[in-house]
């Protein structure tokens, strides 16, 4: 009898000692989420009701509803706890997404940039405020190089986890490959250097640095912006350095049919999840591992690739033709263990 009582007491003590909660982080390039109103300071003429594409209020609302569906479907038991987005035109779009789409029941709050990008597209972060208490956020500008047009700011968000630790999150959308990958690469390297400097300052200042970098880099894991500037390698089998950055999807991206974007029939990874080494230590109260990160390829995100075969992301437009899809990118996500002692 005493053994049974002792066992029950131990179980109770263990039960109150810690609780483990799933914590999912997602990133999604939503491809041209524009409202239907003209901003006199931006080149948004392509997405207006009287444009050749005929971007109407009905189509805009349909895209909002489908983005909401993607976010909800990418959750575990609930919606993802943090969601990075890029190619969002303005605060009006984020307000409509969080308050007037099916996502309104999720209770998200958001922060976003207001960049000098000529088309007006920006990056944003949705967060669940019961699991991520916002401490601060700021835009990190990328001074344009002479031969290139202004690009998107980086979004740096700091928040407090339930563990009491600070989590620093960067949401990025690096300069495009317009004009050619090689010709435009200097601009991406320039932006990556600024991102690297921001991340390094946190790694050197924070007592317990925890960093997540997510975004569309318009580069692949093997390109210089990732390998040379950020020095984000695949995680080692043991003892990751807490002061280094590691790419959670780089190893998987070596597989032929793995990717978040399809170009000329070939899948590739333009969207990235990079973390500081401290987040790969399973002994910490907030941690993850390489096998917990992947690309979401839910069936409704894909459509038939009639030109190259197999499947491709289901886009809103293909050229000038409206097809009612969502984006030319697939979402990526990673799961963390959140342990409360």
């Amino acid at each position: 009898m005493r053994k049974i009582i002792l066992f029950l007491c131990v179980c109770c003590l263990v039960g109150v000692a810690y609780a483990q909660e799933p914590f999912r982080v997602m990133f999604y390039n939503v491809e041209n989420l524009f409202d239907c109103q003209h901003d006199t300071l931006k080149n948004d003429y392509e997405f207006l009701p009287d444009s050749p594409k005929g971007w109407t209020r009905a189509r805009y609302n349909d895209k909002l509803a489908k983005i909401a569906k993607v976010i909800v479907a990418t959750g575990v038991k609930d919606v993802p706890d943090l969601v990075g987005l890029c190619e969002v035109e303005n605060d009006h779009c984020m307000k409509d997404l969080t308050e007037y789409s099916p996502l309104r029941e999720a209770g998200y709050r958001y922060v976003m940039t207001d960049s000098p990008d000529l088309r007006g597209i920006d990056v944003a972060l949705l967060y669940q405020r019961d699991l991520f208490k916002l401490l601060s956020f700021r835009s990190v500008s990328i001074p344009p190089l002479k031969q290139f047009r202004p690009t998107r700011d980086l979004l740096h968000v700091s928040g407090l986890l339930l563990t009491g630790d600070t989590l620093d999150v960067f949401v990025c959308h690096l300069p495009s490959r317009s004009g050619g990958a090689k010709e435009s690469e200097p601009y991406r390297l320039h932006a990556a250097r600024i991102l690297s400097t921001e991340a390094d300052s946190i790694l050197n200042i924070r007592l317990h640095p925890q960093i997540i970098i997510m975004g569309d880099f318009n580069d692949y894991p093997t390109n210089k912006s990732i390998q040379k500037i950020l020095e984000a390698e695949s995680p080692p089998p043991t003892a990751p350095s807490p002061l280094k950055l590691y790419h959670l999807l780089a190893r998987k991206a070596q597989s032929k049919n793995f990717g978040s974007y399809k170009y000329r029939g070939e899948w590739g990874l333009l969207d990235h999840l990079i973390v500081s080494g401290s987040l790969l230590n399973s002994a910490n109260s907030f941690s993850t591992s390489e096998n917990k990160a992947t690309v979401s390829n839910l069936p409704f995100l894909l459509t038939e690739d009639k030109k190259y075969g197999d499947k491709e992301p289901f886009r809103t437009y293909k050229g000038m033709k409206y097809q009612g899809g969502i984006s030319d990118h697939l979402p990526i996500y990673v799961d963390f263990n959140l342990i409360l002692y």
Side-chain angles (χ1 to χ4, degrees), residues 87 131 203 211 321 338:
E87 292 206 19
L131 292 173
L203 292 171
I211 300 174
K321 182 180 179 182
L338 180 66

Side-chain angles (χ1 to χ4, degrees), residues 1-11:
M1 184 66 178
R2 287 182 178 178
K3 288 183 179 180
I4 295 175
I5 294 173
L6 179 61
F7 175 76
L8 292 174
C9 289
V10 170
C11 288

Side-chain angles (χ1 to χ4, degrees), residues 83-98:
V83 181
L85 299 176
C86 78
E87 292 206 19
V88 179
E89 184 186 14
N90 52 35
D91 184 80
H92 180 211
C93 294
M94 291 302 300
K95 188 177 179 67
D96 285 346
L97 179 64
T98 55

Side-chain angles (χ1 to χ4, degrees), residues 53-163:
K53 283 187 173 180
W55 185 238
T56 63
R57 182 77 190 187
R59 290 180 175 182
Y60 169 63
N61 288 337
D62 181 66
K63 187 174 178 88
L64 288 173
K66 287 174 178 173
I67 291 171
K69 179 181 178 181
V70 175
I71 293 173
V72 171
T74 308
V76 193
K77 295 181 180 179
D78 207 342
V79 292
D81 301 288
L82 296 177
V83 181
L85 299 176
C86 78
E87 292 206 19
V88 179
E89 184 186 14
N90 52 35
D91 184 80
H92 180 211
C93 294
M94 291 302 300
K95 188 177 179 67
D96 285 346
L97 179 64
T98 55
E99 296 184 16
Y100 301 107
S101 83
L103 202 62
R104 63 184 176 273
E105 302 298 330
Y108 278 118
R109 297 294 187 269
Y110 69 88
V111 291
M112 71 180 303
T113 57
D114 184 12
S115 303
D117 178 87
L118 297 182
R119 297 175 66 230
I121 57 174
D122 279 293
V123 299
L125 182 73
L126 298 165
Y127 62 94
Q128 291 287 311
R129 58 178 177 168
D130 57 334
L131 292 173
F132 183 82
K133 181 182 178 182
L134 183 68
L135 295 175
S136 66
F137 72 96
R138 65 189 183 97
S139 292
V140 180
S141 63
I142 309 296
L145 299 180
K146 287 184 179 180
Q147 66 270 38
F148 298 103
R149 62 188 185 185
T151 191
R152 282 77 55 172
D153 292 351
L154 308 173
L155 177 62
H156 175 204
V157 185
S158 296
L160 203 64
L161 298 169
L162 292 180
T163 59

Side-chain angles (χ1 to χ4, degrees), residues 306-325:
K306 295 180 181 179
K307 185 173 183 179
Y308 294 103
D310 199 23
K311 300 289 185 179
E312 66 178 353
F314 190 22
R315 305 181 61 164
T316 307
Y317 286 88
K318 194 162 188 179
M320 298 298 291
K321 182 180 179 182
Y322 178 74
Q323 48 179 25

Side-chain angles (χ1 to χ4, degrees), residues 166-235:
T166 299
L167 178 66
D168 288 282
V169 181
F170 289 93
V171 186
C172 316
H173 188 189
L174 269 55
S176 76
R177 295 190 161 211
S178 178
K182 183 177 180 180
E183 292 76 8
S184 59
E185 185 179 48
Y187 205 6
R188 286 189 296 282
L189 297 181
H190 172 59
R193 288 187 190 98
I194 294 173
L195 174 59
S196 179
T197 298
E198 293 289 326
D200 285 346
S201 68
I202 294 170
L203 292 171
N204 292 322
I205 292 172
R206 294 262 194 249
L207 184 63
H208 181 54
Q210 299 188 134
I211 300 174
I212 299 174
I213 299 172
M214 54 180 163
D216 177 358
F217 280 61
N218 278 303
D219 264 340
Y220 300 102
T222 53
N223 288 135
K224 292 178 182 178
S225 60
I226 305 290
Q227 284 203 341
K228 301 296 184 182
I229 306 300
L230 292 175
E231 297 181 342
E233 305 170 350
S234 296

Side-chain angles (χ1 to χ4, degrees), residues 231-257:
E231 297 181 342
E233 305 170 350
S234 296
T238 58
S241 168
L243 299 181
K244 281 182 60 65
L245 298 174
Y246 296 98
H247 198 304
L248 297 178
L249 293 172
R251 207 181 316 269
K252 291 179 181 178
Q254 296 172 13
S255 300
K256 183 178 180 180
N257 293 318

